[in-house]
Amino acid sequence: MRRPWFPALLAAVLALCALTALGSAPAAAQQSPRSAIFGGGPFYSDGQAVMNTLRASGFTTVILWSIHVHPSGDLYYNDVLIVRDGRYVGDAGWPARLRTLKQAPTSVNRIEVSVGAWAVPDWENIAKLISSQGTGPSSILHRNFQALKTATGADAINNDDESYYQVGPTAAFARMAAGLGYSKFTFAPYTNQSFWASLKNNLGTMVDRVYLQGYAGGAGNNPATWNRALGMTVDPGLWSKHGSGCSAGDSPATVESKMRSWRGSAGITGGFMWLYDDMKKCSAQGTAAAYARAIRNGVS
């Protein structure tokens, strides 16, 4: 026999459970899947407007591509000198604009600076500078990347090495960067899986993301294979619409389809897009917000 007070007690308990669930729902809703966007010149030269676009885009990570290390140790953002002799010498307004990326309301919670690219000797130059000066506080690499950290507020260094592939100097640089406050070191591989696996084994948990190129030279990459090689789940990326008539590359619709397929075959939980510069030129084929939504829908 049911006690007379039991229905009332049961109703109270159920109501409390419902309130608890509702209270936690907003926090859960704010946990968006990882989505990163690489961008070049517009991230530096397009003023506050591009920062506002990124904040409203849905992308959670902004990757400043690309920092080039010259033989002297000078740091260039693409073709623009921004750090020399341990001092930031770039556009005086850029650091303040970058700081707005994480200011609410925004989807951005992480900034990375990418070092390297195709057909540039950035990592070779880093190795030579380490060989001649080391990575201590007086070295030019230490001083210049400290200045870069102060200027950009970057949370991580992204390694876009596409030519050098030497574990020792790269690991030494990564540990120097960690000491400067770049808390993580990420990869952007397209080939040479054995190098990246060796570097990951060397650096361990310092590496928390791998942005696997799934376009151009990396078009045949299988995220599941890289997952096994690196011992972690990679975040594959695609190239937005670009080229003559914006006819090459992926649309938001094909990005969503490919991400969904990789989620099924490789268990991916995030992805990235290359390249904001092309999205700007081909905005009629897909905005930054449309591509971020495509990744979110594909991996959710």
Side-chain angles (χ1 to χ4, degrees):
M1 181 187 298
R2 215 178 264 173
R3 288 186 174 90
W5 46 263
F6 184 81
L9 177 61
L10 179 61
V13 170
L14 291 174
L16 179 61
C17 290
L19 285 171
T20 302
L22 286 171
S24 63
Q30 293 169 4
Q31 299 299 314
S32 296
R34 290 192 306 269
S35 57
I37 183 168
F38 283 76
F43 286 1
Y44 184 82
S45 60
D46 279 14
Q48 189 59 42
V50 72
M51 302 300 158
N52 293 340
T53 295
L54 294 168
R55 291 167 65 209
S57 67
F59 280 105
T60 61
T61 299
V62 170
I63 303 176
L64 309 176
W65 183 88
S66 173
I67 300 297
H68 297 307
V69 182
H70 284 224
S72 63
D74 289 351
L75 304 183
Y76 283 68
Y77 185 57
N78 295 308
D79 298 325
V80 180
L81 174 66
I82 60 171
V83 177
R84 170 173 283 171
D85 294 331
R87 293 175 49 249
Y88 175 75
V89 296
D91 178 357
W94 195 42
R97 293 197 298 273
L98 288 174
R99 285 195 293 273
T100 68
L101 282 174
K102 294 182 181 179
Q103 292 176 3
T106 183
S107 60
V108 178
N109 56 35
R110 176 161 162 155
I111 299 171
E112 302 188 19
V113 289
S114 185
V115 178
W118 173 256
V120 293
D122 297 326
W123 288 97
E124 291 87 342
N125 289 337
I126 286 171
K128 291 175 183 176
L129 289 166
I130 290 175
S131 178
S132 63
Q133 300 182 20
T135 59
S138 64
S139 70
I140 194 62
L141 283 175
H142 190 286
R143 293 188 292 120
N144 280 356
F145 274 89
Q146 180 67 80
L148 183 68
K149 165 68 176 172
T150 301
T152 62
D155 304 286
I157 297 279
N158 171 253
N159 181 347
D160 188 15
D161 184 357
E162 302 195 10
S163 60
Y164 183 58
Y165 301 131
Q166 297 295 318
V167 172
T170 307
F173 174 86
R175 291 190 170 88
M176 179 200 75
L180 294 174
Y182 299 94
S183 59
K184 294 297 180 182
F185 192 77
T186 67
F187 300 166
Y190 84 95
T191 190
N192 205 337
Q193 191 177 90
S194 61
F195 162 75
W196 296 106
S198 295
L199 185 59
K200 171 62 170 63
N201 289 338
N202 188 293
L203 296 177
T205 57
M206 193 183 303
V207 181
D208 71 332
R209 297 187 191 177
V210 173
Y211 302 109
L212 177 66
Q213 297 182 40
Y215 51 88
N221 278 326
N222 180 350
T225 302
W226 284 79
N227 288 351
R228 290 191 292 271
L230 300 179
M232 63 185 292
T233 304
V234 304
D235 291 6
L238 295 165
W239 195 345
S240 64
K241 283 292 184 182
H242 63 277
S244 177
C246 298
S247 58
D250 279 287
S251 68
T254 60
V255 167
E256 181 173 337
S257 175
K258 290 178 181 180
M259 291 289 171
R260 183 173 290 113
S261 176
W262 283 328
R263 181 177 183 270
S265 64
I268 68 166
T269 56
F272 77 92
M273 287 307 304
W274 169 276
L275 178 72
Y276 178 82
D277 309 42
D278 290 320
M279 292 180 196
K280 178 184 175 183
K281 296 173 185 174
C282 301
S283 59
Q285 282 72 33
T287 62
Y291 280 107
R293 185 166 55 251
I295 294 175
R296 186 166 60 247
N297 291 344
V299 304
S300 294

